[in-house]
Amino acid sequence: MCGIVAYVGSRPAYPIVIDGLKRLEYRGYDSAGIATIEFDGSLLLKKKKGKVADLISYVGNSEPQGTIGIGHTRWATHGPPNDINAHPHRGSTDRLAIIHNGIIENFSAIRETLTCRGHNLLSETDSEVLAHLIEEVMSGSSLNLFDAVRAALSQVVGAYALVVIDKENPSSLIAARKSSPLVIGIGEDGSYYIASDATPIVSHTKNVVYLEDEEVALLDLNEGLRIRTISNDIISPEVHALEMEIESIEKGGYEHFMLKEIFEQPQSIRDSIRGRINLQQGELKMSGIDDHWGKWSNASRILILGCGTSWHAGLVAEYLFEEFARIPVEVEYASEFRYRNPIIREDDVVIAISQSGETADTLAAIKSAKAAGAHVFGVCNVVGSSIARETDSGAYTHAGPEIGVASTKAFTSQVAVLTIIALHVGHRKGTIAPERFTRLLAELNNIPELVEKVLEQAGRIDSIAEQFSRAENALYLGRGYQFPIALEGALKLKEISYIHAEGYPAAEMKHGPIALIDDDMPVIFIAPMDDVYEKVVSNVQEVKARGGKLLGIVTEGDKEVASLADHAIEIPRCDDALAPLLSVVPLQLLSYRMAVLRDCNVDQPRNLAKSVTVE
Ligand code: F6R
């Protein structure tokens, strides 16, 4: 939520910051802005409602020349998207400017105090108070900028990733974080980069430092990098090598990132399972579990936490864990879990699922689970993310950067990793039959090839999308392992095409949603030949009898559902437990093509942002 980028070095900051903002636009895209310190010592600020492209047109030929700059792309929380609420924000004088990602919870109280002291705040944002507060701290003391930022932040309640520039200190950036991510890049030429994630940094340097909560950093061309905590403890920066490649964050010839990411799934699933399946020995490897086996073997319950698509992956995992590991599972929306005084026990294992590893609700839920003594295991995609660092142990999904706002490859990688975990725990506990375990290992290993086969049907799915694209509603139905896929299919359609869609357990349809069905309503049945197939066939009949345009996602060779449905997409035959990895793919492609046909911005759907770092 909101992307922030900053640079200080010997090159003009503007192109570097703008390029970084384009890469971070998935985090928010309702306004954008940049501030630089120019060679004449002035603080130059340009900001505009709209996307980064609108900011670029607004700047036109009068590009800033300064070699230090900060930039921001906004996802509005306090105050609507407009030029004034766009970041950066200045203090009352023209001395400093800030960019901020997060929410300042006590901003009203700070704003009132500052207004009484004569500060004139222009925007409706919570962020602007930070610029004025730092200025106020500096004006009443002899503190330097670094110490003033620390002192100001000690008065702030809330979440922030923040960068400050000050025209009296034209070779320094000050950055701080609490509950919102910040990565610092160290250039070989002595320059520094700061960003919300590593994507704007990777083309400049692979040496990065992840700022931790309540740390404040000074990045100065003469003094180097210095980090202190807000309470003034000195921190030695730990430099990590980025493993990201620039190609992984480019579109690579695809029309949209989402399409590229859908087509990357054979490879991303391969990367998720690589090194974890040993077919020769008939074993799985998951050190994050083996190192804490006592917790897993004694677990009386598994609690799964996540939001959105990650929550759907958690629902698939519920079926997997209960079937293979015979441990009771509860799957919770992280946002609900933390506010309802949940019962958490020391013998609970909590699995937190998050692509970004930065979702504020999931992070907060983890903290309460940890505080109650539960063992918390993270399933994250972004290496070094807050959730990955907050959990007791975990497994990365290794899906590679996911840039399209609608999650696709991250979901299949989450499900692949959760499948491995459930099988591994079941195998070690002896709750899964050895023959099924061995067969599943081989089948899981072969899933990337089967996903490739599903993708070969993209052309056919495109023509079905043409027939459905004018619909205003859609219903997705599935049972058992396919119920979470019905929910995920509906979410994909809603978020990128703005068509109202609902996912339901197919049998539940009779208890209400069947009333919605008329001749125009697309009804998508996810009906592979699994152990609830016959039941689903009856549900298909019930819909068929009431009109509705039927699309069946069926197992290859299926005759029954395929003959009842108006359209059918086949997926290869596989174990029931692995079918979600295949059945979700046509639904991703269907949503994608329907959204494109409706002229929607697939990679940046309205009102959404990729990383939801506010609660
Ligand atoms: C949907 C989508 C969101 C995310 C949710 C959680 O396509 O992307 O629903 O799944 O915001 O995000 P993470 O997984 O980053 O915690």
Side-chain angles (χ1 to χ4, degrees), residues 311-326:
W311 182 74
H312 295 157
L315 290 179
V316 177
E318 178 177 18
Y319 289 84
L320 292 165
F321 277 105
E322 295 201 341
E323 177 165 10
F324 299 134
R326 304 302 296 145

Side-chain angles (χ1 to χ4, degrees), residues 307-310 354-356 359 405-407 414 491-492 495 612:
C307 299
T309 288
S310 295
S354 176
Q355 186 287 128
S356 62
T359 300
V405 164
S407 189
Q414 287 167 344
L491 177 62
K492 282 296 86 87
E495 64 185 332
V612 185

Side-chain angles (χ1 to χ4, degrees), residues 182-359:
L182 263 194
V183 187
I184 294 170
I186 304 171
E188 282 180 2
D189 58 354
S191 55
Y192 290 105
Y193 305 81
I194 305 175
S196 300
D197 69 31
T199 55
I201 295 178
V202 63
S203 58
H204 303 290
T205 175
K206 295 229 164 166
N207 296 327
V208 296
V209 172
Y210 297 99
L211 211 58
E212 300 286 344
D213 272 355
E214 308 216 356
E215 287 181 357
V216 185
L218 165 75
L219 297 84
D220 185 278
L221 293 178
N222 307 312
E223 291 179 46
L225 170 62
R226 283 169 34 202
I227 303 180
R228 284 174 188 261
T229 62
I230 288 182
S231 45
N232 211 17
D233 297 325
I234 297 172
I235 303 288
S236 312
E238 200 179 317
V239 181
H240 298 261
L242 269 184
E243 282 180 15
M244 190 183 282
E245 294 305 326
I246 188 78
E247 298 74 39
S248 67
I249 55 170
E250 304 283 354
K251 275 194 205 146
Y254 284 90
E255 204 182 336
H256 295 100
F257 280 111
M258 181 179 176
L259 190 61
K260 176 187 175 226
E261 287 156 7
I262 292 173
F263 274 87
E264 275 174 351
Q265 288 176 110
Q267 189 55 43
S268 51
I269 298 174
R270 231 171 250 131
D271 292 341
S272 302
I273 61 181
R274 175 173 300 119
R276 291 172 167 160
I277 302 181
N278 184 338
L279 286 181
Q280 273 76 37
Q281 309 281 330
E283 270 177 13
L284 288 169
K285 208 172 128 210
M286 197 37 90
S287 55
I289 289 182
D290 295 333
D291 296 347
H292 301 268
W293 180 243
K295 297 282 180 192
W296 289 84
S297 60
N298 291 324
S300 63
R301 175 177 69 155
I302 294 177
L303 244 160
I304 301 182
L305 304 173
C307 299
T309 288
S310 295
W311 182 74
H312 295 157
L315 290 179
V316 177
E318 178 177 18
Y319 289 84
L320 292 165
F321 277 105
E322 295 201 341
E323 177 165 10
F324 299 134
R326 304 302 296 145
I327 303 173
V329 177
E330 283 171 41
V331 189
E332 299 258 10
Y333 283 119
S335 53
E336 286 299 308
F337 173 79
R338 58 175 304 229
Y339 286 115
R340 63 161 177 73
N341 196 10
I343 297 163
I344 309 166
R345 297 180 296 245
E346 285 188 7
D347 59 357
D348 282 336
V349 167
V350 174
I351 302 180
I353 308 173
S354 176
Q355 186 287 128
S356 62
E358 301 296 344
T359 300

